[in-house]
Amino acid sequence: MSVALKLSDELIDLAKPHAAAMQRSIPKQIEYWARLGKVVEDNPELPLQFIQDTLLGLEEAKAGQTSDYKFGV
């Protein structure tokens, strides 16, 4: 479900270079920040890099980009 939101020019200006660097649209960059912020609030004991890596891993799994882990190799 999409909802139109009114965002500040400041937030949009802050998102522009991050969106460009990460190959995202500005709305997708702000959506990513919101999702990341929610996960950080829900898991304050976890390091940010761990959370970012976990979110990436979940998206890779959804895209079928997984491989079996071989223990002891």
Side-chain angles (χ1 to χ4, degrees):
M1 172 174 92
S2 295
V3 176
L5 298 174
K6 194 168 196 168
L7 302 173
S8 71
D9 291 338
E10 180 183 2
L11 179 60
I12 291 169
D13 289 342
L14 287 171
K16 283 179 185 179
H18 293 272
M22 300 305 291
Q23 304 288 313
R24 296 182 181 119
S25 66
I26 295 168
K28 285 293 181 185
Q29 180 63 40
I30 294 170
E31 185 177 309
Y32 171 75
W33 282 344
R35 182 176 180 209
L36 185 60
K38 181 182 182 323
V39 175
V40 168
E41 282 188 349
D42 290 347
N43 300 280
E45 72 286 353
L46 297 177
L48 176 60
Q49 190 62 55
F50 178 82
I51 292 170
Q52 289 174 314
D53 291 344
T54 301
L55 292 175
L56 176 59
L58 290 170
E59 292 304 319
E60 287 174 343
K62 283 183 193 175
Q65 299 174 353
T66 59
S67 60
D68 291 333
Y69 181 79
K70 294 179 177 45
F71 291 93
V73 176

